[in-house]
Every structure is written in C-alpha cells, then in structure tokens.
Amino acid sequence: MALSTLSRSIRGEVAIVTGAASGMGRATAHLFGDEGAKVALIDINEAPLQAVVKEMTDEGYDAKGWILDLCDKDEISRVITEIGEHFGGIDILINNAGISIGGPIDGDDYLAAWDKTFAVLLTAHVLTIRAALPFLRRSANARIVNIASTEGLGATKFGSPYTAAKTGVIGLTRSLAVELGPEAITVNCICPGPINT
C-alpha cells in the first residue's frame, strides 16, 4: 500500500532511515522519496550507502547520506543534529538498522554477540530517538517507527541475543508511545518476518 493512501501527505517532511544501504532500509528510503519526503539515509557501509543516495538523487529525490556507526553514542548525537540542521528539521525517524549474531548461550563469543546485538538493535534506537527529540518536538506531525521482528514475538534456537533485543524494541515502543503520545509524537513498531535480501 502506498503511503499516499494514508490520511495525510508527507511531502516536504524530513525522514531519517537508519540501515538505509540495503534491504528494507533501502526500500523504505525509496518509498519516502516516492512520497516527496526529504530523506536522510544512515548506514555504516559507505559504498552501498552512496550507491543508494545516487539512485535516489538520480531519480530527483531530495536525499543525502551519512556514514554512522550506531555503536558510537557521540557520533549518533552529532549526525542526528547535523541532519536536523541540514534539512531544517526532523519529522519522521525510522529505526531500521540491524544485525544478527547467533550462537549458543554457553559459546565463547556469546557475551560479545550479546553486547554488539543490543548496541545496534536496541541502545541505538534509544540514542537516535533522544538525539532527534528536540527536532521532533517542533514538528507538526512527528513520527517514530521502530523496526522489531517476529523474533520479538517468538524465538529461534541459538538466536537469544537477537530475540531479546527485538523483544526490547517492542517494549521500548509501547512505553514511548504512552510517554510521547501526549506531545503528539506517534511511536509505532513493525515486526517483519524473514525478508529475502
């Protein structure tokens, strides 16, 4: 379903998409471009990110890319602020970036996988939201969309870091929806199943 079937237009609004260099992030960035939004694309992988930015600008979209390691707290704040200043605001934040590191609970690398998974899949959501809030609070139609997973509703063997983090994304979304709703900032969560990317 196209966004244009919704009750309002997002033409001219500023949308941030993390994990925009491939897969769902790339598709989401293009969709927002199709609807006339100004799109800030964030990813850690420079070459594919620049390729997506080129695709979009060649099609006439107002898009710009930022290289960002979502494990770097200070860089998150700097980049989100730079995006808000570049475009003159932020209206929509799509927390899409993700990784999946599996392994048994007693594996030698388990705790490293746990820390990295939570840093990218959950803590980065919190940090991007916190950095974007001053801009979102000035928007007439502020929206936050966190991408979780069906893994947050179920489980797969040897995937406990991913499952736990995605379950956390769902809980974070519910809590922030209640907290920020009175400020007219809508917070939603999407739980995709397996995607062929």
Side-chain angles (χ1 to χ4, degrees):
M1 178 173 68
L3 292 177
S4 58
T5 63
L6 300 177
S7 60
R8 68 180 190 86
S9 171
I10 62 167
R11 183 164 301 282
E13 293 189 359
V14 178
I16 297 175
V17 181
T18 69
S22 62
M24 291 187 296
R26 175 181 173 272
T28 302
H30 274 274
L31 181 60
F32 278 101
D34 288 342
E35 294 296 321
K38 302 171 185 176
V39 187
L41 296 86
I42 291 176
D43 207 280
I44 194 171
N45 299 304
E46 184 171 4
L49 176 64
Q50 295 308 328
V52 178
V53 171
K54 186 176 186 312
E55 290 171 3
M56 295 186 67
T57 56
D58 285 352
E59 293 175 26
Y61 299 142
D62 189 350
K64 183 173 177 169
W66 277 264
I67 306 303
L68 176 61
D69 180 351
L70 287 168
C71 294
D72 189 330
K73 176 181 180 180
D74 293 334
E75 278 297 286
I76 288 173
S77 180
R78 183 191 67 77
V79 167
I80 298 296
T81 300
E82 186 175 309
I83 290 168
E85 291 173 350
H86 174 80
F87 285 111
I90 298 170
D91 303 290
I92 303 162
L93 173 62
I94 309 295
N95 280 313
N96 168 75
I99 58 169
S100 180
I101 308 171
I105 185 73
D106 57 353
D108 292 340
D109 298 328
Y110 183 85
L111 290 179
W114 178 274
D115 289 345
K116 178 78 169 182
T117 299
F118 267 75
V120 174
L121 296 184
L122 185 56
T123 303
H125 286 25
V126 171
L127 296 176
T128 56
I129 291 167
R130 284 172 56 87
L133 264 178
F135 297 98
L136 292 169
R137 284 182 165 131
R138 295 196 293 267
S139 171
N141 294 294
R143 303 288 184 263
I144 298 168
V145 180
N146 296 321
I147 306 300
S149 169
T150 52
E151 285 294 306
L153 307 170
T156 299
K157 183 178 180 180
F158 300 131
S160 56
Y162 185 84
T163 300
K166 289 299 190 179
T167 301
V169 172
I170 296 169
L172 173 70
T173 303
R174 287 175 170 155
S175 184
L176 292 184
V178 174
E179 179 178 341
L180 298 176
E183 297 184 54
I185 300 174
T186 299
V187 188
N188 288 294
C189 183
I190 297 173
C191 295
I195 303 293
N196 184 20
T197 62

